[in-house]
Amino acid sequence: MRADLIRTLGFIRKEFVSVIRQPRLLLTLVVAPFLILLIFGLGYRADPTLRTLLVVENEESQLAIDRQQLDEAFSGAITLEGTSSDEDAARLMLDNGEVDLLIVAPDDPLEVIQSGEQAVFEVVHREIDPVLKSNIRLVARLSVDAINRRVVADVIAAAQEETETVEDPLRDVRETSALLVAALESGDRSEADRHLSALREQLEVAETGDPRTDDLFASVADNLGTTKSDPLLSVEENLDAAESEDVEAATEAARELESSIGELEETLSAARQLAPELLVNPFRAEIEEIDDAPTQPGIFYSPATIVVLLQHLAVTVAALSVVRERQLGLTEVFRASPLGTGEALAGKYVGFGFIGVVVAAALTAALVGFGIAIRGSLLSYALVIVLLLLGSLGLGFVLSGFSKTDTQAVQFAMITLLLSIFFTGFILPLQQLLPAVRVVSYLVPATYGIQGIHDVVFRGAGIEPVALAGLVLYPIVMAIAAWLVIRRDFDAKLG
């Protein structure tokens, strides 16, 4: 045991010194990628605004282009640079890169709408990036929806003002209905007939008000809980019943008529008091985030960046170590010595693992220094890092079995890095990959590392079972494969 431990510790020192003596390698593998990603994270804008020019060729257009309304409609998505009446000149500005987006208003929208068609706002751009193109389509749809709501709100506001034409007639109807009830209760039939005649005249005045009043009544009935599609219909029915020769029935109908008129006045008053914007947008959404993850890309991608950098470091140094020993003929020396395959592999794991832990500690300190809190336990965080390094080192040893030169080893490491960027959830969620393609993701240790690090840093929870199983099983499988690779080298040299 003592001899095995001494030989293993000697191998640890060899690997550690071999890396320390190559500061340029550390600079290339760790510092340079980290600086590149740091600069990208600090300079990335998650929600770029589009410089936009509004084109209104027909200045006499019946569509009122109000700058404040447009700012409200397009707020946050674009920067409105101004308006133009010359579409050709505006397109030239777009071609020259002076603006990013053109919004061309319809010439005569009212005429188009009256003909039974939708008026079209034309949105013109020159983007080729599919993400930006999707953003522009979303901006166009949401902005036109905002303009539509504004137009509808103006129509409702106008209709609310026009209901004033029926307020006075309704008040007269309510007052006369009260007199009718009093006359019927006192048994004065002639007085009741006179009030009934007056009521019919007053109702006719109310019903023949502005034509849009009836539509407003119907909308109020549908939206504020009135059971009748025409609120005045119940009034007319009660008025007919009030002409009955049965005094008790007529009196009861008169009371209901008075009550219906009062309810109608209250309903109309409620409809007038509601803000037009509320009628256009009666509902809104509130988002509850169970996992309050940061929205800034620089913060969100930082832990995953550490995972990718550590994997790249471990894979590269592990692959280069075995390939260089093979090229320099050191394997023959090791084979002639009492050193065993397991001792050599253990020494490499511990030596390179120690370097990886030191680098991980430095990167984690930088992470915390930028104000990113680790919500979960530090023990879980450390477990993810250690298992990731073990899996990555094993992968590097396995890749060395396919490499005959340093160049090939570096190429395999770079391919692994590319796989890590596109197939591990670093840029896009794994759910957006087809199941057949997702298989590639689980061949890279960073996939499990990123899932685990997100659980610990952002969710503050334990590592998800699937990610934990991957983090544990991956190093075991890779260690067995690495042992076979190194054992094969030793046997080949012996032969």
Side-chain angles (χ1 to χ4, degrees), residues 371-415:
I372 302 175
I374 299 176
R375 299 183 179 183
S377 69
L378 291 178
L379 181 61
S380 297
Y381 182 87
L383 179 64
V384 173
I385 295 298
V386 171
L387 292 176
L388 169 73
L389 288 172
L390 291 176
S392 301
L393 288 171
L395 178 60
F397 296 140
V398 172
L399 291 177
S400 69
F402 301 95
S403 307
K404 295 183 179 180
T405 64
D406 291 357
T407 303
Q408 289 181 351
V410 171
Q411 287 175 343
F412 282 126
M414 291 304 298
I415 291 174

Side-chain angles (χ1 to χ4, degrees), residues 2-250:
R2 185 171 178 274
D4 293 340
L5 181 60
I6 292 175
R7 286 191 292 268
T8 301
L9 291 175
F11 221 94
I12 294 173
R13 181 178 181 278
K14 165 191 170 296
E15 301 299 358
F16 183 74
V17 171
S18 67
V19 173
I20 296 300
R21 286 179 176 176
Q22 301 180 75
R24 185 176 300 178
L25 177 64
L26 285 176
L27 181 66
T28 304
L29 292 180
V30 180
V31 179
F34 179 76
L35 287 177
I36 292 173
L37 291 172
L38 175 63
I39 294 171
F40 173 78
L42 294 176
Y44 178 75
R45 293 184 301 161
D47 299 309
T49 57
L50 300 169
R51 298 169 300 163
T52 303
L53 187 65
L54 178 66
V55 180
V56 186
E57 289 189 315
N58 182 9
E59 297 181 354
E60 301 294 328
S61 172
Q62 292 169 311
L63 176 66
I65 303 297
D66 183 83
R67 178 64 178 266
Q68 182 178 358
Q69 292 182 8
L70 287 171
D71 284 341
E72 293 176 0
F74 297 108
S75 119
I78 69 171
T79 301
L80 197 58
E81 299 290 337
T83 59
S84 173
S85 59
D86 188 343
E87 183 175 350
D88 292 335
R91 287 180 177 270
L92 183 61
M93 293 178 64
L94 180 66
D95 292 337
N96 293 336
E98 299 178 39
V99 294
D100 302 314
L101 200 67
L102 298 183
I103 299 178
V104 184
D107 289 340
D108 196 342
L110 186 57
E111 181 179 348
V112 175
I113 293 171
Q114 288 175 340
S115 67
E117 298 179 0
Q118 290 180 315
V120 177
F121 277 87
E122 185 180 1
V123 179
V124 186
H125 67 89
R126 300 183 71 250
E127 291 295 342
I128 59 174
D129 188 314
V131 175
L132 290 177
K133 290 169 71 174
S134 298
N135 289 342
I136 290 173
R137 284 194 291 270
L138 179 62
V139 167
R141 184 168 66 251
L142 295 178
S143 301
V144 170
D145 287 346
I147 293 175
N148 286 338
R149 290 194 297 270
R150 191 70 181 183
V151 171
V152 174
D154 290 343
V155 172
I156 290 176
Q160 287 177 325
E161 292 179 0
E162 289 164 358
T163 57
E164 295 179 359
T165 59
V166 295
E167 280 191 342
D168 290 341
L170 281 179
R171 188 182 304 108
D172 295 339
V173 170
R174 178 174 51 80
E175 293 173 353
T176 304
S177 63
L179 296 175
L180 173 62
V181 172
L184 289 173
E185 288 177 344
S186 64
D188 189 346
R189 189 67 201 189
S190 61
E191 183 70 10
D193 290 340
R194 188 172 67 81
H195 291 318
L196 283 170
S197 177
L199 278 173
R200 291 197 177 278
E201 293 178 358
Q202 291 167 350
L203 282 174
E204 184 177 354
V205 172
E207 289 178 327
T208 57
D210 188 273
R212 280 169 289 189
T213 303
D214 290 339
D215 295 335
L216 181 62
F217 283 159
S219 298
V220 169
D222 291 339
N223 290 287
L224 297 183
T226 305
T227 57
K228 302 287 186 180
S229 59
D230 183 358
L232 292 179
L233 181 60
S234 61
V235 175
E236 294 176 349
E237 291 175 352
N238 289 324
L239 184 60
D240 292 337
E243 294 179 342
S244 172
E245 296 297 331
D246 186 340
V247 176
E248 291 185 3

Side-chain angles (χ1 to χ4, degrees), residues 420-462:
S420 303
I421 292 175
F422 295 105
F423 293 95
T424 62
F426 178 69
I427 293 180
L428 298 175
L430 292 179
Q431 293 79 2
Q432 294 188 10
L433 295 176
L434 294 175
V437 177
R438 204 178 302 165
V439 174
V440 178
S441 303
Y442 298 110
L443 300 177
V444 185
T447 300
Y448 311 104
I450 289 175
Q451 292 180 13
I453 211 79
H454 281 171
D455 289 338
V456 175
V457 175
F458 295 136
R459 293 190 174 95

